[in-house]
């Protein structure tokens, strides 16, 4: 046999061996994913999208049409959001907040301040009276079924279009500002109705079961805290109004809805992954979405890709579809299960800090924290997709949501406790010596601090005020100290600052504290 034929034969043998090895590796990876999916299914995990899609809401209970009508009216009169948006409970010092409704002037100096008057704010609220009236109707039927097309996956955007998240948040801002205006004008009952409508919206969103929806719900609940706190400072609020408000806050559940969102995200991710593997068109939609985001951030590369870049990209897609995606899918499934187990445990043992540490260890073991620096910078994230972690990067992103759930669940329980304390004070003329005195008349049991699982800390001060606090993100009881940790500087007085020693329920600021805040804001605006 001639040498050249021997070389050709040798080349063919090597090529055949490589091809067979590649095919064997493909099926090995594919079987590993199938095996793990079978494990999840055997232990009772829902692995079919139909198992987690919420049941349809009966038409007579669905407030979606009412909400959409209200949202159209809000858009018709947008001046409120662009020139009159403001909030209550403005933190002016650690542990101290200004009662916005009690201020003679609503304007605020500073770079991010506003120059509106109370009269302008009232006019804006009056302009949206019909929309507010419609939003109040959601209180009776706090269910919103927008018929979200979960089965279509993420890529085509149909899910996000049907969720109406922007409109929901705008409605919350309108209701919040309207409540502060009501309090300023002495209409406490109407302010309570506006806050109850905000809570009804947050409650109605619990069945949307997606991470982005949960983040918006958390934002709405955070917004709702401000007018709720202001209502508790009112001298005209009634025990009946507070009982209704407390019941609405108690109805919210952020832990279970977060767990439901994680489960739904896993299965919608399966739909999207199947689309990507079957169709270049569907895969291209993902990269077009990134291209649009790049343009919006000003990092788009105007140059046409070179021949080499196009070939490299096509090769990466081929390798991803047949090999890389399976390894990444398995890692993503394992990471997703770590998140779901963390949320599941949080429903029962109330020790978020321990669970957060356990979640971190679980993700570290899977190598799912390597991209955290990249994910914290959207410019780097959008610069070039990593085909080895297209799926698992979402796990890293979602892992950060647990801290937000911890914070809002802590805030929710502290809000419930603060309302119960106000109800006790209205009935007895003073605050109780301890939280146990509120059981069972004002709540069934003393709320636990989600951070460490112990009862919320409470102390009756000698001047008749009270100290109510959580140990905060550091998990250490610092005696109700709202100051920031040593060597940490921040211009924010947010009472749930992650670097605060404790998360202390704000007390009303004094006139001197408010003036100091205004003076410092005025200096910063120079």
């Amino acid at each position: 046999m001639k040498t050249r034929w021997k070389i050709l034969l040798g080349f063919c043998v090597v090529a055949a061996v490589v091809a067979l090895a590649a095919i064997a590796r493909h099926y090995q990876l594919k079987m590993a994913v199938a095996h793990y999916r079978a494990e999840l299914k055997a232990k009772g995990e829902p692995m079919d999208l139909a198992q987690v899609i919420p049941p349809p809401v009966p038409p007579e209970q669905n407030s979606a049409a009412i909400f959409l009508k209200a949202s159209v009216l809000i858009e018709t009169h947008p001046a409120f959001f662009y020139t009159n948006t403001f909030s209550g409970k403005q933190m002016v010092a650690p542990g101290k907040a200004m009662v916005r409704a009690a201020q003679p002037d609503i304007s605020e100096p500073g770079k991010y301040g506003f120059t509106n008057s109370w009269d302008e704010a009232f006019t804006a609220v009056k302009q949206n009276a019909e929309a507010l009236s419609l939003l109040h109707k959601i209180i009776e039927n706090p269910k919103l079924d927008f018929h979200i097309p979960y089965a279509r996956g993420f890529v085509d955007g149909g899910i996000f279009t049907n969720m109406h998240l922007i409109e929901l948040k705008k409605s919350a801002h309108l209701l919040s500002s309207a409540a502060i205006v009501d309090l300023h004008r002495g209409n406490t009952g109407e302010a309570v109705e506006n806050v109850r409508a905000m809570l009804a919206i947050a409650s109605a969103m619990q069945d949307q079961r997606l991470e982005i929806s949960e983040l918006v719900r958390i934002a709405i609940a955070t917004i709702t805290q401000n007018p709720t706190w202001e209502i508790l400072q009112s001298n005209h609020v009634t025990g009946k109004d507070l009982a209704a408000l407390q019941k609405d806050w108690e109805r919210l559940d952020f832990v279970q809805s977060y767990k439901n969102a994680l489960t739904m995200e896993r299965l919608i991710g399966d739909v999207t992954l199947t689309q990507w593997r079957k169709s270049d068109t569907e895969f291209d939609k993902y990269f077009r979405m990134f291209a649009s985001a790049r343009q919006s951030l000003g990092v788009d590369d105007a140059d046409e890709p070179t021949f080499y870049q196009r070939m490299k990209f096509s090769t990466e897609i081929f390798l991803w579809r047949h090999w890389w995606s399976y390894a990444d899918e398995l890692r993503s499934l394992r990471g997703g299960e770590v998140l779901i187990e963390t949320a599941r445990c949080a429903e029962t043992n109330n020790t978020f800090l321990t669970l957060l540490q356990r979640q971190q260890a679980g993700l570290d073991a899977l190598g799912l924290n390597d991209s955290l620096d990249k994910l914290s910078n959207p410019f780097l994230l959008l610069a070039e997709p990593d085909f080895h972690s297209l799926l698992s990067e979402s796990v890293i992103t979602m892992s950060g949501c647990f801290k937000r759930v911890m914070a809002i669940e802590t805030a929710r329980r502290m809000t419930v406790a603060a309302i119960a304390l106000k109800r006790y004070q209205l009935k007895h003329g003073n605050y109780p010596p301890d939280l146990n005195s509120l059981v069972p008349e004002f709540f069934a049991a003393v709320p636990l601090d989600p951070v460490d699982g112990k009862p919320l800390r409470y102390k009756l001060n000698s001047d008749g005020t009270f100290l109510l606090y959580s140990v905060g993100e550091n998990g250490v009881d610092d005696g109700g100290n709202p100051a920031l940790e040593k060597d940490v500087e921040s211009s924010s007085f947010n009472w749930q600052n992650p670097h605060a020693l404790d998360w202390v329920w704000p007390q009303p600021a004094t006139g001197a504290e408010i003036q100091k805040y205004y003076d410092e804001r005025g200096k910063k605006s120079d």
Side-chain angles (χ1 to χ4, degrees):
M1 183 181 292
K2 294 183 178 181
T3 302
R4 63 180 180 179
W5 288 110
K6 289 181 180 180
I7 294 174
L8 181 59
L9 179 60
F11 176 80
C12 291
V13 170
V14 171
V17 170
V18 170
L20 288 173
I23 293 171
R25 181 58 176 164
H26 165 82
Y27 282 103
Q28 181 186 33
L29 293 168
K30 190 173 182 179
M31 290 302 296
V33 172
H35 180 71
Y36 185 68
R37 285 183 174 277
E39 283 184 15
L40 292 176
K41 191 172 183 178
K43 65 183 266 189
E45 290 287 346
M47 299 304 292
D48 187 339
L49 188 58
Q51 294 177 275
V52 299
I53 292 178
V57 176
E60 66 275 10
Q61 298 177 19
N62 189 6
S63 295
I66 292 173
F67 172 78
L68 292 175
K69 183 177 180 181
S71 67
V72 170
L73 291 171
I74 294 171
E75 286 299 317
T76 304
H77 303 292
F80 188 92
F81 295 103
Y82 301 125
T83 65
N84 282 292
T85 300
F86 56 91
S87 65
K89 198 195 74 178
Q90 176 62 52
M91 299 297 298
V92 300
K96 292 296 187 73
M98 169 178 33
V99 182
R100 179 80 71 185
Q103 303 309 307
D105 183 4
I106 198 175
S107 63
E108 178 147 350
K111 182 179 179 180
Y112 300 105
F114 35 84
T115 59
N116 314 99
S117 67
W118 280 113
D119 286 341
E120 289 172 314
F122 173 69
T123 299
V125 170
K126 187 176 180 180
Q127 187 180 46
N128 285 275
E130 186 179 355
L132 290 167
S133 178
L134 288 169
L135 293 173
H136 287 182
K137 293 181 179 181
I138 301 176
I139 297 172
E140 299 303 318
N141 284 304
K143 295 180 188 246
L144 294 171
D145 187 350
F146 294 124
H147 307 293
I148 299 170
Y150 298 103
R152 284 165 56 180
F154 288 120
V155 177
D156 67 1
I159 285 180
F160 305 114
T161 301
N162 280 52
M163 292 172 74
H164 302 287
L165 297 179
I166 295 175
E167 295 89 344
L168 288 163
K169 194 171 180 182
K170 279 187 176 182
S171 296
H173 277 298
L174 168 61
L175 289 161
S176 176
S177 296
I180 302 303
V181 170
D182 288 330
L183 288 169
H184 180 72
R185 297 175 67 85
N187 300 327
T188 307
E190 190 66 19
V192 170
E193 287 300 292
N194 281 317
V195 172
R196 293 194 65 202
M198 296 175 72
L199 293 169
I201 290 173
S203 179
M205 293 175 65
Q206 287 182 170
D207 258 348
Q208 290 196 343
R209 303 189 183 185
L210 285 169
E211 181 197 15
I212 184 63
S213 180
E214 283 305 297
L215 291 175
V216 173
R217 279 188 69 233
I218 289 172
I220 289 174
T222 302
I223 295 168
T224 309
Q225 269 197 295
N226 295 335
T228 300
W229 183 87
E230 295 247 350
I231 287 170
L232 294 179
Q233 314 314 312
S234 171
N235 294 323
H236 306 293
V237 68
T238 67
K240 182 179 179 181
D241 282 339
L242 289 176
L245 205 56
Q246 181 178 331
K247 184 177 180 181
D248 291 344
W249 271 104
E250 288 174 332
R251 180 171 56 191
L252 297 181
D253 188 332
F254 293 99
V255 179
Q256 181 180 356
S257 56
Y258 170 63
K259 182 195 71 177
N260 290 341
L262 290 172
T263 305
M264 177 71 81
E265 294 266 349
R266 175 169 63 188
L267 296 179
I268 295 180
D270 289 347
V271 173
T272 304
L273 180 57
T274 300
Q275 293 171 343
W276 284 355
R277 283 191 175 132
K278 287 183 177 179
S279 169
D280 286 342
T281 301
E282 294 299 325
F283 206 35
D284 285 343
K285 288 180 181 179
Y286 172 77
F287 291 103
R288 285 201 299 271
M289 179 177 67
F290 266 72
S292 297
R294 285 165 56 83
Q295 290 176 355
S296 67
L297 289 172
V299 295
D300 186 50
D301 187 355
D303 296 334
E304 286 292 326
T306 64
F307 174 78
Y308 168 76
Q309 290 172 327
R310 289 196 298 269
M311 289 299 296
K312 178 177 178 292
F313 188 71
S314 298
T315 302
E316 287 177 324
I317 290 178
F318 178 80
L319 293 171
W320 177 87
R321 180 167 284 138
H322 296 288
W323 291 279
W324 296 345
S325 67
Y326 290 102
D328 192 27
E329 180 184 5
L330 182 59
R331 192 168 62 148
S332 178
L333 285 169
R334 292 186 183 279
E337 189 64 10
V338 170
L339 303 188
I340 292 171
E341 283 297 326
T342 300
R344 188 172 286 128
C345 290
E347 289 183 293
T348 56
N349 65 13
N350 295 291
T351 53
F352 276 51
L353 191 63
T354 300
L355 293 174
L356 186 62
Q357 294 166 349
R358 186 190 304 173
Q359 173 181 280
Q360 187 77 20
L363 295 179
D364 284 342
L366 295 170
L368 281 173
N369 286 312
D370 298 339
S371 301
L372 279 175
D373 290 339
K374 176 183 177 183
L375 288 171
S376 66
N377 187 332
F379 289 91
L380 293 176
L381 176 63
L382 296 175
E384 185 177 350
D386 186 345
F387 282 90
H388 293 279
S389 58
L390 284 179
L391 309 175
S392 53
E393 281 183 351
S394 65
V395 175
I396 302 171
T397 303
M398 288 189 289
S399 68
C401 292
F402 191 65
K403 281 188 179 182
R404 298 191 185 187
V405 174
M406 178 176 73
I408 195 60
E409 181 60 20
T410 304
R412 184 189 72 82
R413 297 184 192 187
M414 290 183 68
T415 302
V416 168
I419 295 173
L421 286 166
K422 182 65 176 181
R423 291 172 64 197
Y424 183 101
Q425 190 257 353
L426 287 178
K427 183 173 182 178
H428 299 282
N430 52 264
Y431 291 108
D434 52 55
L435 293 181
N436 287 322
S437 301
L438 301 173
V439 180
E441 184 177 4
F442 298 101
F443 43 48
V446 174
L448 301 179
D449 186 342
V451 180
D452 65 357
K454 297 179 181 179
L456 289 173
R457 278 67 169 178
Y458 171 82
K459 177 185 176 183
L460 180 63
N461 298 323
S462 58
D463 62 358
T465 62
F466 64 85
L467 176 66
L468 175 68
Y469 69 95
S470 156
V471 296
E473 194 168 309
N474 65 9
V476 178
D477 186 347
D478 290 292
N481 187 349
L484 297 181
E485 296 169 336
K486 186 179 179 181
D487 299 326
V488 173
E489 294 184 5
S490 174
S491 60
S492 170
F493 297 125
N494 175 20
W495 71 283
Q496 283 193 300
N497 190 309
H499 296 289
L501 293 175
D502 290 322
W503 288 344
V504 180
W505 183 258
Q507 289 297 312
T510 64
E513 289 168 332
I514 294 172
Q515 187 58 54
K516 180 181 178 183
Y517 168 78
Y518 276 139
D519 290 344
E520 291 179 350
R521 286 289 296 253
K523 291 177 182 177
K524 289 181 180 179
S525 66
D526 292 339

